[in-house]
DNA sequence: TGAAATAATAAGGTCAGCCATAATATTTTT
DNA sequence: AAAAATATTATGGCTGACCTTATTATTTCA
């Protein structure tokens, strides 16, 4: 057992696919998220296909195989355990934990992962509100809907924040849009314009692409 | 400030040089320690020379510049802080902490390093007995002599273990040769033969190359 | 001092993971 | 049904960090 160790690049592609939710992921979206040209992402998908980690249906998108899904879940497990450690124990700013954990995740042996999980008390969720897969890749998919699709006038509670870019996380942090926060959608501007929210008594403007990353219930 | 981020490979060469003690390091020894051919190590030394991290005097060896020394100290700082965390908090077996920390060290941002140091209570020494450089690269070089040079009949205390290979560390761990342990040199076989030690009332054979890694006082 | 050992250089390759540019193929829109 | 937009594939290149196989330089040892 124990795979011949995947490269950081491979792990990031798999994780990105898992983060981009259920299924067929357009290679262009992957490329965008990973900061790589579509041609490069295509090449990489060919390699991952040869390794049996993904299947690519041209013009439809790319899907994780079971093997790929397990590997991705394991990366997410490491990522989110480190997020817990960085936030709860090292007291690192919420907006930065994703980025720091994203480096550590690739440098973490299975034995360290499990010892870390035990040290942290086997948490089920990370500070961004996302579930932490168990050691076997088991996963309870996050319920809730995107704030983007929330009707004007509704009051909702933030369950998770799916953003990964530090500057986006920083903006959300500054505006108080964190897991557990209750907020109200005051207005949705036309033409895909921003939402206006009420958060902690303050009005906050939030573009739709950012709102998409905020999962509410 | 803040260097454009060094590759893992670069950091490992610098760290190996620092670990190989003070001065001109033979490129062949470096190559050996890093598991690389002498030709490859030579190439790498040329690159590091171009970056101002080392100076190479042909047929004499290679030396860290001040810039290289600082970078190396910083890698050692990260390495040894992680060793403390893995050993004291995650309860990972002593013989394995070097290897695991050796992965994490390259994935640790300065802000994480300092938060980790604070979390650990700014330890001055790692579980292998080596000093932890401070945030500015300050270093109190480890005193003591190698067990290899210890006269027969002497009783000494282990101050540090400089080995890095997991199997070597495992052997020393199994024989109880850990920092703080008191032991006596019973015999030194001729022709570079092994030492016979008394450790905790047991006789232990230790080859000279292993004995070299054991620093005593 | 000459031979043997060791170190350094030169030359040519490999491999992963990127890039750009250009040619096709497919889907979407008008 | 064309035209426009998007996706895919084909080529050719690049860089870092490795490797092997010479060749040359220096040091060490007999
Ligand atoms: Mn990552
Ligand atoms: Mn390392
Ligand atoms: Mn070449
Ligand atoms: Mn090619």
């Amino acid at each position: 057992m124990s795979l011949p160790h995947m490269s950081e690049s491979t792990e990031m592609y798999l994780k990105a696919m898992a983060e981009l939710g259920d299924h067929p992921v357009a290679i262009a979206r992957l490329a965008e998220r990973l900061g790589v040209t579509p041609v490069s992402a295509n090449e990489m998908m060919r390699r991952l296909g040869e390794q049996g980690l993904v299947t690519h249906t041209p013009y439809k998108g790319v899907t994780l195989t079971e093997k790929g899904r397990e590997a991705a879940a394991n990366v997410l497990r490491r990522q989110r355990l480190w997020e817990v450690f960085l936030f709860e124990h090292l007291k690192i700013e919420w907006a930065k934990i994703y980025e720091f954990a994203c480096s550590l995740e690739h440098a973490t042996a299975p034995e360290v992962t499990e010892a870390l999980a035990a040290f942290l008390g086997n948490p089920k969720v990370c500070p961004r509100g996302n579930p932490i897969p168990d050691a076997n890749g088991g996963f309870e998919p996050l319920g809730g809907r995107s704030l983007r699709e929330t009707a004007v006038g509704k009051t909702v509670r933030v369950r998770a924040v799916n953003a990964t870019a530090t500057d986006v996380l920083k903006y959300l942090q500054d505006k108080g849009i964190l897991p557990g926060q209750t907020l109200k959608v005051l207005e949705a501007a036309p033409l895909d314009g921003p939402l206006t929210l009420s958060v902690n008594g303050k009005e906050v403007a939030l573009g739709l692409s950012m709102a998409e990353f905020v999962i509410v219930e």
Side-chain angles (χ1 to χ4, degrees), chain A:
Chain A
M1 292 301 91
S2 94
L3 307 163
H5 190 257
M6 286 171 185
S7 70
E8 170 162 349
S9 193
T10 293
E11 289 192 339
M12 287 305 285
Y13 275 90
L14 297 177
K15 190 178 78 163
M17 289 178 67
E19 284 172 337
L20 285 173
D22 266 331
H23 271 176
V25 177
I27 291 184
R29 288 204 68 196
L30 254 189
E32 186 186 12
R33 191 176 185 102
L34 294 169
V36 129
T37 66
V39 176
S40 296
N42 250 283
E43 286 174 345
M44 194 62 174
M45 287 304 105
R46 181 181 43 69
R47 278 181 226 122
L48 297 191
E50 285 162 1
Q51 295 172 244
L53 294 165
V54 306
T55 31
H56 179 202
T57 311
Y59 301 99
K60 277 206 63 183
V62 76
T63 308
L64 291 169
T65 63
E66 179 52 22
K67 186 179 164 194
R69 217 212 91 260
E70 274 170 32
N74 195 264
V75 181
L76 284 174
R77 174 169 173 76
R78 282 174 263 149
Q79 151 89 37
R80 291 173 182 167
L81 287 170
W82 280 122
E83 284 186 89
V84 173
F85 176 68
L86 294 173
F87 187 65
E88 312 249 307
H89 295 267
L90 297 198
K91 312 298 183 195
I92 285 175
E93 191 183 352
W94 183 85
K96 290 179 176 173
I97 60 176
Y98 182 94
E99 182 174 358
F100 291 150
C102 188
S103 295
L104 292 168
E105 65 192 357
H106 311 290
T108 312
E111 186 174 343
V112 174
T113 305
E114 297 320 310
L116 178 63
F119 170 80
L120 298 172
N122 296 300
K124 294 278 171 285
V125 67
C126 79
R128 282 166 38 254
N130 293 104
I132 297 176
D134 66 33
N136 309 308
F139 217 118
E140 19 148 346
L142 183 63
R145 282 190 323 291
S146 159
L147 179 59
R148 178 174 194 156
E149 304 147 10
T150 302
V152 171
K154 284 249 179 182
T155 295
V156 292
R157 197 161 157 283
V158 176
R159 178 183 282 222
V161 173
N162 265 325
T164 59
T166 302
D167 54 349
V168 170
L169 290 163
K170 186 94 169 108
Y171 183 86
L172 295 172
Q173 171 183 273
D174 288 348
K175 303 304 182 186
I177 303 174
L178 303 178
Q181 177 65 53
T182 294
L183 53 81
K184 185 175 184 184
V185 182
L186 299 179
E187 187 181 4
L191 289 175
D192 296 332
L195 303 179
T196 304
L197 312 171
S198 169
V199 185
N200 265 335
K202 294 209 190 70
E203 288 202 3
V204 173
L206 197 69
L208 288 189
S209 34
M210 254 191 253
E212 179 138 33
F213 289 132
V214 179
I215 307 301
V216 299
E217 59 193 354

